[in-house]
Amino acid sequence: MFAAAAALGLSALLQPSTAGAQTLVVCSEASPDFLNPQFSSQNTAYDVAAQIYDKLVTTERGGSQIIPSLAESWTISDDGLTYTFKLRRGVKWHSSKIFTPTRDFNADDAVFTITRMFDENHPYYKVGGSNYQFFGEIVKPSLKAVEKLDDYTLKLTLTKPYAPLLSALSVEPMSILSAEYADAMMKAGTPEQVNQAPIGTGPFSLVIYQKDATIRFKAVPDHWTKAVGNRDRMALVNDLIFVITPDASVRYAKVKSGECQIARYPNPGDLPAMRADTNLTMLSGSIADQSFLAFNQQKKPFDDKRVREALVYATNIPAIIDAVYQGTGKQAAALVPPSLWSHDDALKPRPYDPEKAKALLAEAGYPNGFKTVLWAIPVVRAYMPNGRRAAELIQADWAKIGVQAEIQSYEWGEYLKRGRAGDHEVGMFGYTWDYPDPSQILLSGWHCDGVKSGANRARWCNKEFSDLLTKANTITDQAERTKMFVRMQEIFQEDVGGLLFANAQAFTPVRKDVKDYKIHFFGGQPFVGVSLAK
C-alpha cells in the first residue's frame, strides 16, 4: 500500500476524502527511521506511532500526568513488585488490504508486544532486528515476567521495585501491537509486514507513507475514545498529513502560505516574524530538559563549594539567555524542569553578583582568581543553541573576578567521550527527558553511581541526594516521591552541584484556524483533540 504514494502528487494528497471533511496538514522535519517504534529512539518515529498506536498508559496531552489508555486501571502490590492492569474492552484494531482482524484488543496483544522484546527465543524477537534500545535499557532490567490472567487482565512482575515503570510504559516503544496480525503474517511467510505496514488501535490509521515526502493518516471512525466521549483524546479531523520538510525556513514559508497549518521546530531567528504574522498563532512551552556547566569536582579548585558558588554568582545568566537563547529559554533554578511533576517552583536562581563572587573566591584562597579551561558544546541543541557564544560571554564574566578561562571544544563524538572520561575542568552539557518521571536524568546525570561510569559529568557526589533518589525509585506514592524530589533540588542548589542555564522553550507556529493544538513534551506529538475552524 506504500508504493501507491509514488504516483500521487502533493495536491492530490491534500484533497479531503469526503465533502466537508477536514484535513490537517503538518510540516514535519524528517522521515521516521522505523514505522515500528519498538526499534526507535527518535521523535520522528514517535510522532508517527503516536497517531497509529495506543499504549497501556499515556501522558496527558501537553502535560506530564500519566493517564489510562488501553489499561483502564491498575493496581500495584505493597512490595512494588507486581503491577496488575485491567484492560479496556471494545477496542478495535485497524484493518488493511492484507489483514482484517477477527477480534478486539485483549491481553494476548499486550503479552505479545512485551514478550517479543523480552524473550530472545520468541519467533518475532529478531524480525526486523533485535535492537530494542528503550525497552532494553529502561524496562527490561527490572522485569521478571509478563502474564495473561484472563482476556482483560495483564500482570507484570518485577525483580525489584521500580517506581518509574508506569512512566516508561507511556513512551512509544511500548506501543501495543496486534498478536493476531503477527500470527497471520508469520503464517503467510511475511512477518516483516508487522514492522513495515503498521496495524494499531490508535485514533488514526496509516494510509500512505512516501519516504521523505508525505505520510497520510485517516481518522478511525469507531475509535474507543468516541465511546469515552473525551474530545481531548479523539481524532477531530478526517485526514492528517505530514509533509516532510527538512528545511526550517521552508516549513515557515509553507505555514505562512497556508500549505500546512502547523510547522514543527522553527528557526529561533524566524520567531519575531512569525509572532508578527496576523495569520499565525505562536504556541510555546517548556521542554523537559537541563542545560548546565559541570564543574569537575574531582579536580581542584572545583571540589570547594565556595569556588563553585563564586562562579555561579559571577555568571550573568540573563545576558546569556538574551544573547544565546533569543527568547527560547527561561533561567533555571531547579534541577527538575517546569514541565515535570515535582519541579520546585520555590527555588530562585542566584543573582548576578560579581562582588559577592570575589569575596567567596578570596575566602576560598583565590583572591586573585585562577586559570581554567572551559569547554564549549560544539553542536546546536534546544537546550543550548550556541555553545561557543555562551562560552565567550562566560569567559568575559569570569575575567571580571580574575578567573581566566581558556575556551576549548572538540568534535561532538570526541566531546562526549572526553566528558565521560572526566577530561574537562569545566564543561558545558545538557539532557532531555524521554518520559515524565524526574528520576530519569537525575539517576544518570547526578547520582553518585554515575561518577564511576562517567555519566555524572560534574563528578558531584552528595550522599543525601543520592540516597533520597535511590529510595524515591522504590516508592510508588507520587506525593511521597514529590517531597523527596523537592528536597533533592534544594540539596543541589545548596551544594552548588552545577551551574544551571535555562529551561528551553519549544515554539510551534500554527495557522489561526487551528483549534486546541497543544505542544506535547514526551514521546510523540499527538494530533487528537485538534480541529480546524470551518
Side-chain angles (χ1 to χ4, degrees):
M1 66 178 173
F2 304 107
L8 292 175
L10 179 59
S11 61
L13 284 174
L14 296 181
Q15 296 302 313
S17 56
T18 60
Q22 288 193 329
T23 299
L24 178 65
V25 184
V26 179
C27 283
S28 61
E29 76 280 14
S31 294
D33 55 348
F34 293 96
L35 291 178
N36 179 350
Q38 293 177 319
F39 297 106
S40 184
S41 61
Q42 301 299 315
N43 282 344
T44 48
Y46 290 6
D47 287 345
V48 173
Q51 320 314 320
I52 300 171
Y53 294 107
D54 289 313
K55 297 149 290 188
L56 292 175
V57 298
T58 190
T59 51
E60 61 179 342
R61 190 166 65 100
S64 61
Q65 292 299 312
I66 299 297
I67 58 176
S69 186
L70 292 179
E72 284 187 315
S73 63
W74 51 88
T75 57
I76 305 170
S77 62
D78 291 341
D79 61 7
L81 297 179
T82 304
Y83 286 66
T84 305
F85 296 89
K86 289 297 181 182
L87 304 182
R88 192 176 300 277
R89 296 173 183 266
V91 175
K92 308 297 182 184
W93 287 100
H94 304 164
S95 61
S96 70
K97 292 179 180 179
I98 61 173
F99 174 70
T100 301
T102 64
R103 63 166 177 80
D104 293 347
F105 155 80
N106 65 27
D108 290 330
D109 303 305
V111 170
F112 162 72
T113 297
I114 298 174
T115 306
R116 170 196 179 155
M117 298 184 284
F118 187 52
D119 181 2
E120 295 183 10
N121 296 315
H122 192 280
Y124 264 90
Y125 182 78
K126 293 184 179 179
V127 175
S130 57
N131 183 24
Y132 305 107
Q133 181 179 343
F134 181 89
F135 177 83
E137 292 180 357
I138 304 298
V139 180
K140 188 175 182 179
S142 61
L143 186 62
K144 181 179 181 180
V146 184
E147 302 173 68
K148 169 188 173 181
L149 300 186
D150 59 47
D151 280 352
Y152 292 96
T153 309
L154 177 74
K155 178 182 175 182
L156 300 184
T157 304
L158 308 186
T159 58
K160 56 186 177 182
Y162 186 57
L165 179 65
L166 283 177
S167 292
L169 293 178
S170 73
V171 186
E172 268 62 35
M174 302 307 297
S175 297
I176 302 300
L177 280 60
S178 167
E180 185 185 19
Y181 181 39
D183 288 343
M185 294 302 100
M186 186 65 78
K187 289 175 183 176
T190 57
E192 68 281 355
Q193 289 297 306
V194 172
N195 300 327
Q196 297 170 2
I199 294 290
T201 63
F204 294 93
S205 61
L206 181 65
V207 178
I208 291 170
Y209 169 42
Q210 184 180 7
K211 183 176 172 59
D212 298 330
T214 56
I215 310 172
R216 181 167 183 156
F217 309 88
K218 191 165 193 62
V220 175
D222 56 352
H223 192 251
W224 60 267
T225 53
K226 301 282 179 72
V228 174
N230 185 347
R231 285 177 60 86
D232 202 53
R233 309 282 300 280
M234 293 164 54
L236 301 181
V237 295
N238 300 77
D239 297 278
L240 170 66
I241 300 174
F242 290 1
V243 178
I244 299 167
T245 314
D247 190 321
S249 61
V250 177
R251 293 197 295 275
Y252 173 32
K254 286 185 175 182
V255 76
K256 185 176 181 179
S257 68
E259 289 184 60
C260 58
Q261 284 94 20
I262 300 173
R264 309 288 305 278
Y265 306 110
N267 281 324
D270 290 331
L271 294 180
M274 290 177 178
R275 292 190 182 101
D277 192 326
T278 57
N279 293 313
L280 300 178
T281 299
M282 181 65 72
L283 303 179
S284 65
S286 297
I287 300 170
D289 70 335
Q290 281 179 2
S291 56
F292 59 93
L293 279 185
F295 304 117
N296 189 337
Q297 294 173 40
Q298 290 181 333
K299 296 183 178 181
K300 291 185 176 299
F302 307 108
D303 57 339
D304 191 323
K305 172 189 167 182
R306 294 168 297 185
V307 172
R308 302 193 300 271
E309 189 170 22
L311 294 177
V312 173
Y313 276 118
T315 308
N316 191 344
I317 299 296
I320 292 173
I321 292 174
D322 286 344
V324 175
Y325 290 83
Q326 299 182 50
T328 65
K330 293 183 178 179
Q331 186 171 3
L335 196 58
V336 175
S339 51
L340 278 172
W341 59 269
S342 84
H343 166 73
D344 188 354
D345 195 47
L347 290 178
K348 303 302 177 187
R350 288 177 172 84
Y352 175 54
D353 191 339
E355 294 306 313
K356 191 163 188 174
K358 289 178 183 178
L360 282 166
L361 281 185
E363 183 182 327
Y366 299 94
N368 300 314
F370 56 89
K371 292 183 179 180
T372 190
V373 176
L374 170 63
W375 284 15
I377 192 170
V379 293
V380 174
R381 287 289 183 267
Y383 57 72
M384 178 46 69
N386 189 331
R388 182 74 191 189
R389 179 61 178 144
E392 290 169 350
L393 292 170
I394 294 167
Q395 182 186 51
D397 284 342
W398 289 2
K400 296 172 185 175
I401 63 167
V403 175
Q404 301 174 48
E406 175 190 349
I407 299 173
Q408 287 186 1
S409 195
Y410 302 91
E411 178 273 329
W412 184 226
E414 185 69 13
Y415 188 95
L416 294 174
K417 178 182 176 182
R418 288 173 176 259
R420 184 171 289 274
D423 292 350
H424 58 290
E425 293 182 2
V426 182
M428 195 179 291
F429 298 98
Y431 298 111
T432 56
W433 271 258
D434 293 314
Y435 53 88
D437 191 284
S439 68
Q440 182 194 6
I441 298 305
L442 272 59
L443 273 171
S444 61
W446 302 102
H447 196 282
C448 287
D449 289 349
V451 173
K452 184 179 293 187
S453 70
N456 184 334
R457 301 295 203 269
R459 278 30 180 196
W460 177 69
C461 179
N462 182 291
K463 188 176 186 303
E464 183 185 357
F465 179 98
S466 294
D467 287 350
L468 271 173
L469 182 51
T470 299
K471 185 177 181 181
N473 275 1
T474 67
I475 296 172
T476 55
D477 184 279
Q478 186 164 310
E480 287 300 312
R481 296 186 76 214
T482 295
K483 293 176 185 176
M484 294 180 179
F485 284 112
V486 167
R487 177 57 190 151
M488 287 179 231
Q489 292 167 83
E490 293 171 349
I491 294 168
F492 180 88
Q493 188 180 61
E494 291 164 4
D495 200 33
V496 198
L499 185 157
L500 299 176
F501 286 117
N503 294 123
Q505 295 290 107
F507 290 88
T508 303
V510 304
R511 301 285 300 179
K512 289 286 188 181
D513 59 343
V514 175
K515 302 299 180 185
D516 204 28
Y517 173 80
K518 297 179 181 179
I519 299 176
H520 197 67
F521 302 106
F522 305 99
Q525 172 67 53
F527 289 93
V528 291
V530 183
S531 62
L532 298 172
K534 294 181 181 180

